[in-house]
Amino acid sequence: MKTLKVEAKSASAGSRKELVVRFAWGFLGGITYGITGMFAYVAMAVQWLHILFTAKRHAALSKFINAWSIAYVKFELYLYLVTDERPPLIPEF
């Protein structure tokens, strides 16, 4: 089993311009991460059933769920002012 490690780098200085960009980024990212999140939750349900009946994980479903989860955490870190590193609007799979 792999361990997930997320590092958040932040500068002590902030700018008003970045707050406006962050607000817009949060709105647009909320839409895209919400839509892809629905697919991730469906994939989790299918993965659960797959494990229940075959006792194995489906590789593609696991990869998709892991990629979405990591991308979403990075988006939340940016949105909640923890880091200044802007995540992509569409999660990279």
Side-chain angles (χ1 to χ4, degrees):
M1 179 185 270
K2 292 183 181 179
T3 302
L4 174 65
K5 182 178 178 182
V6 177
E7 287 188 28
K9 297 178 183 176
S10 180
S12 60
S15 72
R16 292 180 184 104
K17 178 183 168 188
E18 180 60 29
L19 282 177
V20 172
V21 169
R22 196 178 299 254
F23 180 78
W25 207 262
F27 180 76
L28 296 173
I31 293 170
T32 59
Y33 282 88
I35 291 170
T36 55
M38 287 188 285
F39 289 114
Y41 285 118
V42 169
M44 286 179 214
V46 172
Q47 178 79 299
W48 188 85
L49 291 171
H50 189 269
I51 293 170
L52 180 66
F53 292 115
T54 66
K56 296 179 185 177
R57 293 184 193 271
H58 190 274
L61 289 175
S62 289
K63 185 177 177 182
F64 176 73
I65 294 166
N66 288 339
W68 181 84
S69 298
I70 291 168
Y72 185 71
V73 167
K74 289 180 180 180
F75 174 72
E76 290 292 319
L77 289 173
Y78 176 73
L79 193 62
Y80 294 143
L81 307 173
V82 175
T83 183
D84 293 331
E85 294 178 24
R86 197 173 297 139
L89 275 178
I90 299 173
E92 298 171 356
F93 296 111

